[in-house]
């Protein structure tokens, strides 16, 4: 039996009154045999006013950025982060595991529950956990980015994350320490909440993650080799719920059981390291009901595009003969760096299908679609409408790859980034110290009510842009190919100095807004090569928040913009003393151990 199979069936360790589901039974439907475990509409040990844990709140009557339930319930989990052997595709690797599992345990909560996760670091280096897409509005210090909100958890030490499920839907968690997630430190999150479309059953998370066969430290060494020898590590395989035999290796295939005539919710989550992926099911189409943590007005498509960190919740009508078996497919789009196997398949069996045989269905017309952009902005209108206000601050931020004298790094408006694990920015801001080193790329937006960025990418690589602590309005996108115009002054008189952030950069945006009264909102938006995106967010969450490309190797190479939001409110923030204690533990450990931080640390 492959090592992965031995780890996969370990039950979720939890301290709670509800019965935890076996992680892989929930996620894959099977490792070596088929099951049909489904997720509930909600966890039922909450008080149930009006029949739901969230009371009378619905998807269309509650602004979830301002109002969320307080259920009085806390979901407790206990995790050990440690190295362990795994072989999700049949190739053995020393992985970074949660409770000896890959993918990590499923985290479940109802909307408004508190989530408390006790994390013990049994690695020989630091670690941290980021709950992707969580707003952290009353727990800004729990965002899990080392050097920004916290010091890393030192080896042998325990740190407890505690946050409220302020939004609902599908998400994931991952390490934000260096590139640990590339070797497995991630897992799914489901927050049950009101429905914005009807379906019969919830098939649960479908994690789509690319995979590498090399220790991430060695890959970072390749990435940070002196110019011109730097190499962006390519994806070598793609997994569905942690499974996909590598070129016929002796490893299991993910399997799902469905019933004919039923509509199922699938929670598609990109836990990729760097790949943009396409998702299809042969001979079936999708109704999209959410993008990231934002329920949307349902729309139809036959394929889903997810860049790193993005999620789409879809409903699939399994309306074929009960003896049907079909392939579920995910494909690494050619805009991604890949060398190896670029397609994963999982078997979907109707109730009377022969589960001892693999499907023989053919891919649909868009199974190998090469377009790397997200669905058209005109399609993706939030179910709860919000009209953005006029921004109080605007900026144009061009992206460039530059050599700093020895290494090739990413720059945003002429600035690159490196974190200081020992001195988190949020803790400094709490003390009133707002004069940060230039390399931390901090920008103080004061008490501005709303910020608007035009981010311009005239280069050849895609960039999934992720903002912590907020859902972004995505106002517009379009072509932006004239490098001389973008990096020259907007009047075209002189070339811009990329190290002078006061320069007026050329603005590719023509001022149009798609769905001005209710534009798309999400926490990751794909920025295509030769394109711009226009994003805006409300400054309603004081803190220090990274805006970064979510490709692991780009984020590691300086592609981070640090947003200092409402520093006067940070001064009054009730940051608990455990944050300082964690820094003392980290300082003690680093006083006796050298931290191998050759990249920017994120």
């Amino acid at each position: 039996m492959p090592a992965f199979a031995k780890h996969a069936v370990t039950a979720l360790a939890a301290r709670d009154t509800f019965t935890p589901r076996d992680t892989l039974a929930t996620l894959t439907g099977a490792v070596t045999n088929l099951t049909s475990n489904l997720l509930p509409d909600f966890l039922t040990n909450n008080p149930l006013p009006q029949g739901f844990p969230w009371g009378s709140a619905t998807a269309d009557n509650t602004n979830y950025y301002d109002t969320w339930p307080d259920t009085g319930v806390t979901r407790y989990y206990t995790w050990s982060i440690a190295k362990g052997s795994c072989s999700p595709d049949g190739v053995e690797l020393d992985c970074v595991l949660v409770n000896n599992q890959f993918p990590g345990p499923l985290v479940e909560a109802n909307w408004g529950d508190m989530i408390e996760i006790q994390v013990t670091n049994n690695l020989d280096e630091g670690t941290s956990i980021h709950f992707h897409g969580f707003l952290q509005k009353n727990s800004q210090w729990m965002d899990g980015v080392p050097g920004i909100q916290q010091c890393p958890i030192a080896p042998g030490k325990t740190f407890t994350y505690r946050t409220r499920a302020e939004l609902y839907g599908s998400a994931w968690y991952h390490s934000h320490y260096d590139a640990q997630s590339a070797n497995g430190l991630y897992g799914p999150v489901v927050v049950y909440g009101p429905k914005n479309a009807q379906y019969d059953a919830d098939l649960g998370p479908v994690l789509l993650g690319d995979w590498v066969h090399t220790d991430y430290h060695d890959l970072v060494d390749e990435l940070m080799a002196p110019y011109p020898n730097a190499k962006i590590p390519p994806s070598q395989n793609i997994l569905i719920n942690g499974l996909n035999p590598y070129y016929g290796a002796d490893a299991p295939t993910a399997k799902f059981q469905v019933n004919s005539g039923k509509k199922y919710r699938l929670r598609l989550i990109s836990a990729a390291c760097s790949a943009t992926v396409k998702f299809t099911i042969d001979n079936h189409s999708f109704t999209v009901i959410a993008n990231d943590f934002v329920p949307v007005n349902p729309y139809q498509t036959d394929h889903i595009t997810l860049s790193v960190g993005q999620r789409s919740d879809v409903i699939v009508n399994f309306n074929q003969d009960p003896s049907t078996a079909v392939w579920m497919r995910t494909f690494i789009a050619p805009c991604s760096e890949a060398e190896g196997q670029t397609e994963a398949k999982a078997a979907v069996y109707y109730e009377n299908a022969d589960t001892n045989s693999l499907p023989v269905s053919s891919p649909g017309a868009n199974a190998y679609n090469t377009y790397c952009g997200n669905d058209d902005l005109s399609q993706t209108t939030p179910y709860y409408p919000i009209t953005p206000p006029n921004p109080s601050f605007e900026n144009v931020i061009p992206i460039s790859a530059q050599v700093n004298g020895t290494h090739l790094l990413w720059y945003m408006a002429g600035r690159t980034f490196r974190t200081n694990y020992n001195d988190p920015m949020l803790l400094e801001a709490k003390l009133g110290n707002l004069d940060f080193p230039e390399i931390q790329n901090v920008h103080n937006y004061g008490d501005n009510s709303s910020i608007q960025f035009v981010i311009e990418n005239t280069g050849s690589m895609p960039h999934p842009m992720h903002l912590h602590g907020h859902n972004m309005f995505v106002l517009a996108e379009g072509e932006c190919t004239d490098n001389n115009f973008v990096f020259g002054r907007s009047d075209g008189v002189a070339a811009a100095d990329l190290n002078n952030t006061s320069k007026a950069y050329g603005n590719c945006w023509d001022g149009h807004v798609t769905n001005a009264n209710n534009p798309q909102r999400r926490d990751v938006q794909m920025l295509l090569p030769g394109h711009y995106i226009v994003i805006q967010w409300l400054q309603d969450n004081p803190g220090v928040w990274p805006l970064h490309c979510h490709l692991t190797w780009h984020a590691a190479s300086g592609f981070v913009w640090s947003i200092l939001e409402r520093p006067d409110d940070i001064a009054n923030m009730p940051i608990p003393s455990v944050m300082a204690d964690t820094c003392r533990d980290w300082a003690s450990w680093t006083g006796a151990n050298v931290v191998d931080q050759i990249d920017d640390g994120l």
Side-chain angles (χ1 to χ4, degrees), residues 58 75 96 273 323:
T58 65
R75 309 289 170 182
V96 187
C273 176
S323 63

Side-chain angles (χ1 to χ4, degrees), residues 51 129 150 187 253 273 276 283 327 406 412 419 437 443 497:
I129 302 294
Q150 69 167 96
T253 295
C273 176
T276 297
N283 305 318
W327 285 119
T406 57
M412 302 175 71
T419 195
H443 301 263
D497 174 2

